[in-house]
Amino acid sequence: MEQFLFYTFAASILIAAVLTVTVRNVFHSALYLALSLFGVAAVFALLGSYFLAGLQILLYVGAVVVLSIFVISMTKHITGAGAAGTGRRAVPALLTVLASGALLTNAILRTDWGASFAYSYGAGTDAAAIGSHILSDFVIPFEAVSVLLLAALIGAITIIAKDGR
Amino acid sequence: MLHLLEALLYNPGVPLAGLAAKARALWAARGLPSPVLDLVFQLAIAATVSGFITVNALFIIWFDRKISALMQLRKGPNRVGPFGLLQTLADTLKLLSKEDINPLRIDPLAFWLAPLLVFIPSFAVFLVIPFGNGLIAGDLNIGILYILAISGLSVIGILSAGWGSNNKYSLIGGLRSAAQMVSYEVPMMLAILPVVMLTGSMRMGAIVDAQAGYGWFAFMQPVAFVIFLIAGNAEVNRAPFDLPEAESELVAGFNTEYSAMKFSIFFLAEYTNLFLTSAIAASLFLGGWEGPLLPPVVWFFLKTYFVITLLCWARWTFPRIRVDQLMQFSWKYLLPIALLNLLVSAAAMKLL
């Protein structure tokens, strides 16, 4: 049963991810992205990491996708008619894909999956454990990320408020 | 018989689980595999919840109309059935028999998916609502986080309704709704956090247990309770926060182009969300199903309907606010107050 569910979710993640970049309608693309991210949450839940699954839905599906749909709705109305692809940035796009693919493959090959599997099935990924890890072992990266986000926020406000308001 | 009835009323989790176990054993003896049995039981629970959602929404719509009539010195629905109780049933039958209109040049995928994306999250939230002692479909250890995560998904449905309808009023309504729901989700979460901190758990059952003996969090966290009620009212898009479907300026907002069954699903989802927000407020701040003498389920519904009455009262008393006022109220008033409340609560918990 568990294996059947895993393959169902894995297939829906991959199919939705491919559809995200291949469909011509930007709004549909965002909907498929939501489905793909939801599938990742389902896999987290299947692995027993309910807290991560909840956060995945709350932050990625509930916030990131909603914001991108919000931005898409502000664009020129293109319901039905697909935006034509130009292929002008094909080479930089290919390079980016290859680079991030190499990074991810490297990370996947280097990870000790047995250990992390045992860890996620235990109490290792519940809210309390993650919280104490973040505020003890990983406090410096955590604070660095916070400062980075704050800087991005202030930068965005500065760009918007250029006309002196 | 009387004993079973009493057990069902006061501690329904145990006899229901016993009945389910007996039924399982009976069918397993006849050679049904376990996954099939699981599926059958889950489908049975889902069917019960769907039935409950429909009947309950019919009642809440009648209740809301009666309260509005009371406030406006009218009689309200009083023709169909006793006290007009069957009026919403008649309206539903009328809606179902109407033509399902699909406007030209809609985006079919977004248009058809939208009612489902709005309704399914409110249906799924019922999983962790504690109706009574042990009467909870699945007491997840991330209970309240699950509620916040799943109910946030309905924004996607409202946005696709606005986008898919190919209508400027719908699009503006959808955008307004999304902005409003995202903005009010933040103070709502910050209002829930002190409750989670006081309980030390996100499990709904544990949150209700922590308030046993009248230690209601509404007394300990009055500010958080008020913020939760305001933000919850904004999340369900009801007056004074009903800008997404402001009739006088946007026709009907994101559901302008919807008719018949699809419209009734939006309507059902709205009233289900009202019930859910009230049920969550009752569970988090008013002690949930805890209470003397009366059975827990009765207490749960009494408290939930108390909160529903409060929200209906607000709906029929306050005028609709403007878009800029709506955003300012959330980001400039509710958010700082909620943050301050969180800080003071954390300091008090550390010191006391």
Side-chain angles (χ1 to χ4, degrees):
Chain A
M1 190 67 184
E2 207 160 88
Q3 260 187 345
F4 169 74
L5 284 176
F6 173 76
Y7 284 114
T8 314
F9 292 141
S12 67
I13 293 171
L14 291 177
I15 293 171
V18 169
L19 282 172
T20 304
V21 289
T22 52
V23 291
R24 283 275 173 236
N25 188 322
V26 198
F27 193 86
H28 292 178
S29 174
L31 287 182
Y32 288 124
L33 179 64
L35 179 64
S36 178
L37 293 169
F38 196 86
V40 174
V43 171
F44 274 139
L46 207 59
L47 286 170
S49 307
Y50 294 111
F51 183 63
L52 286 183
L55 286 186
Q56 169 83 16
I57 294 178
L58 187 71
L59 297 178
Y60 284 88
V61 189
V64 172
V65 172
V66 165
L67 280 182
S68 35
I69 292 181
F70 201 81
V71 174
I72 289 168
S73 303
M74 300 270 192
T75 59
K76 212 169 78 182
H77 212 299
I78 44 173
T79 305
T86 55
R88 265 185 302 149
R89 300 201 182 90
V91 178
L94 190 69
L95 285 179
T96 317
V97 168
L98 283 179
S100 46
L103 271 175
L104 285 176
T105 316
N106 188 29
I108 290 169
L109 290 179
R110 278 163 177 256
T111 305
D112 178 7
W113 289 105
S116 64
F117 202 64
Y119 193 73
S120 76
Y121 258 113
T125 53
D126 70 352
I130 289 181
S132 59
H133 270 304
I134 284 180
L135 289 178
S136 59
D137 307 342
F138 301 108
V139 67
I140 292 170
F142 175 68
E143 292 297 333
V145 167
S146 310
V147 172
L148 188 72
L149 285 176
L150 187 66
L153 198 67
I154 294 171
I157 293 172
T158 323
I159 292 170
I160 296 167
K162 236 177 195 168
D163 51 350
R165 279 194 296 136
Chain B
M1 192 62 210
L2 205 67
H3 179 73
L4 184 71
L5 198 69
E6 197 190 328
L8 266 176
L9 277 176
Y10 285 89
N11 197 359
V14 180
L16 282 181
L19 271 178
K22 263 186 197 162
R24 278 192 81 104
L26 200 70
W27 285 103
R30 296 190 183 177
L32 263 183
S34 170
V36 176
L37 271 176
D38 281 341
L39 200 67
V40 168
F41 273 88
Q42 279 152 10
L43 282 178
I45 293 175
T48 317
V49 171
S50 330
F52 171 77
I53 287 176
T54 317
V55 175
N56 191 44
L58 288 179
F59 182 73
I60 298 176
I61 294 169
W62 173 84
F63 189 70
D64 191 21
R65 291 180 68 179
K66 275 291 184 192
I67 286 183
S68 84
L70 188 76
M71 303 230 164
Q72 298 167 349
L73 293 177
R74 295 184 288 114
K75 282 205 168 68
N78 65 351
R79 293 290 152 145
V80 192
F83 307 106
L85 260 171
L86 299 179
Q87 180 66 50
T88 22
L89 191 64
D91 290 347
T92 314
L93 291 176
K94 183 196 74 180
L95 269 176
L96 293 185
S97 62
K98 278 190 168 182
E99 187 191 351
D100 185 21
I101 301 167
N102 289 311
L104 269 180
R105 299 182 63 193
I106 49 170
D107 180 340
L109 179 73
F111 190 76
W112 281 85
L113 213 56
L116 295 178
L117 282 178
V118 170
F119 181 68
I120 291 173
S122 15
F123 176 76
V125 166
F126 273 92
L127 180 68
V128 292
I129 299 294
F131 283 91
N133 197 0
L135 202 62
I136 176 168
D139 204 357
L140 301 180
N141 62 356
I142 56 158
I144 193 69
L145 178 70
Y146 171 85
I147 293 178
L148 289 170
I150 294 292
S151 59
L153 292 179
S154 61
V155 184
I156 298 181
I158 289 177
L159 274 170
S160 24
W163 171 270
S165 301
N166 198 6
N167 171 332
K168 51 181 171 267
Y169 297 116
S170 300
L171 187 63
I172 295 174
L175 283 176
R176 274 191 188 180
S177 178
Q180 173 177 334
M181 287 170 87
V182 171
S183 305
Y184 279 84
E185 213 168 41
V186 179
M188 192 176 192
M189 280 182 213
L190 289 173
I192 290 173
L193 267 182
V195 170
V196 175
M197 277 162 32
L198 283 167
T199 312
S201 170
M202 289 188 283
R203 194 188 289 275
M204 291 301 278
I207 291 175
V208 174
D209 286 342
Q211 301 175 71
Y214 305 105
W216 293 3
F217 288 140
F219 300 139
M220 270 189 262
Q221 289 287 340
V223 181
F225 182 48
V226 173
I227 292 174
F228 183 88
L229 283 185
I230 296 173
N233 204 10
E235 288 284 310
V236 292
N237 293 333
R238 280 163 63 87
F241 305 106
D242 64 341
L243 296 102
E245 43 187 300
E247 301 95 331
S248 49
E249 35 184 313
L250 289 182
V251 193
F254 59 86
N255 51 34
T256 304
E257 297 291 356
Y258 283 89
S259 54
M261 189 76 185
K262 291 209 219 47
F263 172 76
S264 52
I265 290 179
F266 275 122
F267 207 55
L268 188 65
E270 185 189 326
Y271 278 90
T272 306
N273 283 337
L274 172 67
F275 175 80
L276 282 173
T277 305
S278 309
I280 295 162
S283 305
L284 291 183
F285 292 101
L286 299 177
W289 45 262
E290 308 261 6
L293 291 173
L294 294 170
V297 184
V298 176
W299 273 114
F300 172 79
F301 278 103
L302 276 179
K303 287 170 183 173
T304 305
Y305 270 87
F306 169 69
V307 181
I308 290 178
T309 314
L310 280 184
L311 294 183
C312 289
W313 185 9
R315 176 181 182 184
W316 296 108
T317 313
F318 294 113
R320 179 185 307 138
I321 59 177
R322 279 200 325 258
V323 175
D324 56 325
Q325 291 171 333
L326 177 92
M327 288 297 154
Q328 280 192 4
F329 184 61
S330 173
W331 293 105
K332 290 191 182 167
Y333 299 97
L334 280 188
L335 184 65
I337 295 173
L339 273 175
L340 203 66
N341 180 51
L342 182 67
L343 202 69
V344 171
S345 315
M349 277 176 64
K350 199 75 193 165
L351 292 176
L352 298 179

